[in-house]
Amino acid sequence: MTTASATGRPRLWAGIDIGATKIHIVVADGQGQILGRARKKTRSERGVDAVLERVERCLDEACDLASVSRPALAGVGLGAPSPVAADGTVVNAPNMGWRKLPLARILRARWHQPVCVENDCNLGTLGEYEFGAGRGATTLVGLFVGTGLGGGVIDRHEMMRGHNRMAAEVGHMVVEAHGRRCGCGRVGCLEAYASKAGIAGRLRELQISPEPTPLLDDLDPDELSSLNSSVIARAYRAGDAAMRIAVDEAAWYLGVGVASLIALLGPDHIVVGGGVVEALGDSYLAKVRASARVATFPAEAFAGVHIVRSQLGDDAVALGAVAHARRELGTGAPPARRRKTRTAAGS
Amino acid sequence: MTTASATGRPRLWAGIDIGATKIHIVVADGQGQILGRARKKTRSERGVDAVLERVERCLDEACDLASVSRPALAGVGLGAPSPVAADGTVVNAPNMGWRKLPLARILRARWHQPVCVENDCNLGTLGEYEFGAGRGATTLVGLFVGTGLGGGVIDRHEMMRGHNRMAAEVGHMVVEAHGRRCGCGRVGCLEAYASKAGIAGRLRELQISPEPTPLLDDLDPDELSSLNSSVIARAYRAGDAAMRIAVDEAAWYLGVGVASLIALLGPDHIVVGGGVVEALGDSYLAKVRASARVATFPAEAFAGVHIVRSQLGDDAVALGAVAHARRELGTGAPPARRRKTRTAAGS
């Protein structure tokens, strides 16, 4: 029961995921079926206008593959690595050099079509909720483990944004109040332990030991800050001792964070995505689960929680942007449950 | 615009706060105006039936003071120190020795009138939201610092209960993953640092120092587990060195927990109540605020948060029970905003 346009063709939406390094775009129908997909480097160092031109070209490529013209899209959703104000302004994306950028307004004026903008991890969580591993959840937490650690929460079908629209900053819950310094400048944040930055931090500590490990010998310590997931997985699988410790500890800490999230939010589903879990697979997730089981209070609260891998992988944010556009920009109802507000105008 | 009964008299509700040591009951109108108030010891060691008889006598006393007969109440709300299932079953209240007790059903059968049961800290937060320091909040967190550390969250007018109705267990967020053991058996929970139990724990560590402090010299170390707030405040004000450290650290940790709550939930109001804050006052709260300010990411998220003292004090849970009964049991709409579901039958 895909909502169809007046011509009888299913309405199509574009979902845009803008990150510091890449632009990833899908064109999909209201059920999350992807008909076109395109990717480009962001090149944020070239400035906003240059980035937006790249977005536009990337969007046109995805539209071509989906055999739809850009003006014929029902709407465009976009995720940015920043808190996003209600009017679609990107508040602060340090990795992009964007601050108080009225992105929704700019793109509407440029493209003459409906555009909505939201935080990328909120959208990744929404994507999993609508089309992926979080379908059917009552209270869903999404965790995205990359260089940093982002998250989102969907509760009773709605994004939990908080009063300030800055909620779900799971990476900056404090788990070691006297611990390691985080990239954010504070001390002991979950991100400083459970992300790739956390793994790199632990490796730095371990590498100053008298016997450096064989695989990591080749890595320049300065490169640890851009440690990628496949290097992590390769060293881990090869049995590199330092990497084993660093990754196992990162998984343990993520489990501790998961326990705090269960105590606080009472979710039935926690979806874990991002490069680290993709590269390390289910054995990593089993360690997260084991740690969370021990640390969760009350014990009964752990029993009902499904801790699962992302199903959408790289498409999570872009598909979440499609779902968000469909919700916000019209003919928005998902198949199963209609929202009470903002109901469909046409069909 | 208090909702009135058919006789023209304002409808009255009873709010019951059952704790391990005391029963505290108010009879109030739908605006939270208290017309009768009564208190008794719980005596939970005497068993459920004996406790419920004491509750009934206490309720009759409060009704007498309010000049209303028990059957004429519009409904009864009750808060218990336990997760509470949707049908009003008390899941597990270890301090009371209650487990899977269908309290709402029992009381309805006993009193032949509408009764609803909810977790006490959720109700304390609701009380502050409807009638106290949390009025007008979009996203409100309530923190109740006593022997333990309980909490509740109201988001967009609704209690955040989570899928499992065990959410808002703020005391069991992990803040020192390699830290002190908590009363719950786990390690490093906020409660193990920021509650009276946390203060007692720190004092135990400090008392083994070579120079015991004058005021605490008189305290049997075994009594530290039942350390009361007025002793804490007296020793603190007298400048007892160990108590200064223990209390200041507890406040610092509560601030760290507050920072995690801000990052996760994006609240505009955080109301702090309970014996410790009542006894120590605003200087304590200033320390909590200072610690939270440093630890909150992003910094902008801290700026918009009002961290304030409870206004309802000992009445918070009982008044929350009144608000909850009014919401759940009919003629439920608060003056400003009506709920979409469960709207009033009579008026």
Side-chain angles (χ1 to χ4, degrees), chain A residues 209-258:
Chain A
S209 71
E211 294 191 61
T213 55
L215 264 166
L216 293 168
D217 245 9
D218 305 336
L219 270 180
D220 180 341
D222 291 341
E223 280 171 19
L224 281 176
S225 57
S226 59
L227 193 67
N228 76 48
S229 302
S230 64
V231 170
I232 292 174
R234 194 162 51 89
Y236 189 85
R237 295 220 172 84
D240 180 277
M243 191 59 90
R244 287 261 161 168
I245 294 170
V247 167
D248 289 353
E249 281 191 7
W252 182 80
Y253 273 105
L254 191 60
V256 168
V258 162

Side-chain angles (χ1 to χ4, degrees), chain B residues 1-9 11 13 74 326-333 338 342-347:
Chain B
M1 53 168 279
T2 303
T3 318
S5 69
T7 64
R9 216 197 144 184
R11 289 162 66 94
W13 310 82
R326 194 195 58 192
R327 285 174 165 219
E328 296 293 313
L329 302 176
T331 53
R338 292 191 84 82
R342 298 179 193 264
T343 41
S347 73

Side-chain angles (χ1 to χ4, degrees), chain A residues 16-19 22-23 25 40-61 70 76 78-81 88 90 96 98 101-111 115 117:
Chain A
I16 303 177
D17 172 9
I18 303 193
K22 55 146 193 56
I23 299 157
I25 301 185
K40 276 200 191 314
K41 291 205 165 138
T42 307
R43 308 273 188 223
S44 55
E45 70 282 2
R46 296 185 190 170
V48 174
D49 277 342
V51 169
L52 296 187
E53 265 168 44
R54 296 178 72 78
V55 168
E56 194 167 312
R57 279 187 1 240
C58 193
L59 176 55
D60 285 335
E61 282 175 31
R70 182 144 51 82
V76 179
L78 187 148
V90 172
M96 317 272 293
W98 292 1
L101 180 71
L103 191 55
R105 187 161 59 75
I106 291 171
L107 292 179
R108 273 182 220 125
R110 237 176 135 112
W111 297 343
V115 177
V117 178

Side-chain angles (χ1 to χ4, degrees), chain A residues 128 133-134 141-145 149 194 199 236-237 247-259 262 269-294 302 305-311:
Chain A
E128 294 290 344
V141 177
L143 297 173
F144 301 95
V145 186
L149 175 60
I199 293 172
Y236 189 85
R237 295 220 172 84
V247 167
D248 289 353
E249 281 191 7
W252 182 80
Y253 273 105
L254 191 60
V256 168
V258 162
I262 295 174
H269 282 71
I270 296 180
V271 175
V272 185
V276 172
V277 65
E278 297 298 331
L280 289 163
D282 287 332
S283 67
Y284 164 84
L285 209 60
K287 287 177 213 285
V288 174
R289 250 186 237 114
S291 159
R293 180 182 295 115
V294 173
F302 182 81
V305 189
H306 303 276
I307 303 175
V308 295
R309 271 170 81 168
S310 157
Q311 277 178 9

Side-chain angles (χ1 to χ4, degrees), chain A residues 7-8 31 36 52-53 80 83 101 206 208 221 233 262 313 322 327 342:
Chain A
T7 64
Q31 313 299 301
L52 296 187
E53 265 168 44
L101 180 71
L206 293 166
I208 60 164
I262 295 174
V322 166
R327 284 174 165 218
R342 299 179 194 266

Side-chain angles (χ1 to χ4, degrees), chain B residues 208-274:
Chain B
I208 61 165
S209 72
E211 294 190 59
T213 54
L215 265 165
L216 293 169
D217 244 8
D218 306 335
L219 270 180
D220 180 342
D222 290 341
E223 281 172 20
L224 281 177
S225 57
S226 59
L227 193 67
N228 75 48
S229 302
S230 64
V231 171
I232 293 174
R234 194 162 51 88
Y236 189 85
R237 295 220 172 85
D240 179 276
M243 191 59 89
R244 287 262 160 168
I245 293 171
V247 167
D248 289 353
E249 281 190 7
W252 183 80
Y253 273 105
L254 190 61
V256 168
V258 162
S260 292
L261 290 163
I262 295 173
L264 207 54
L265 301 170
D268 48 336
H269 282 72
I270 296 180
V271 174
V272 186

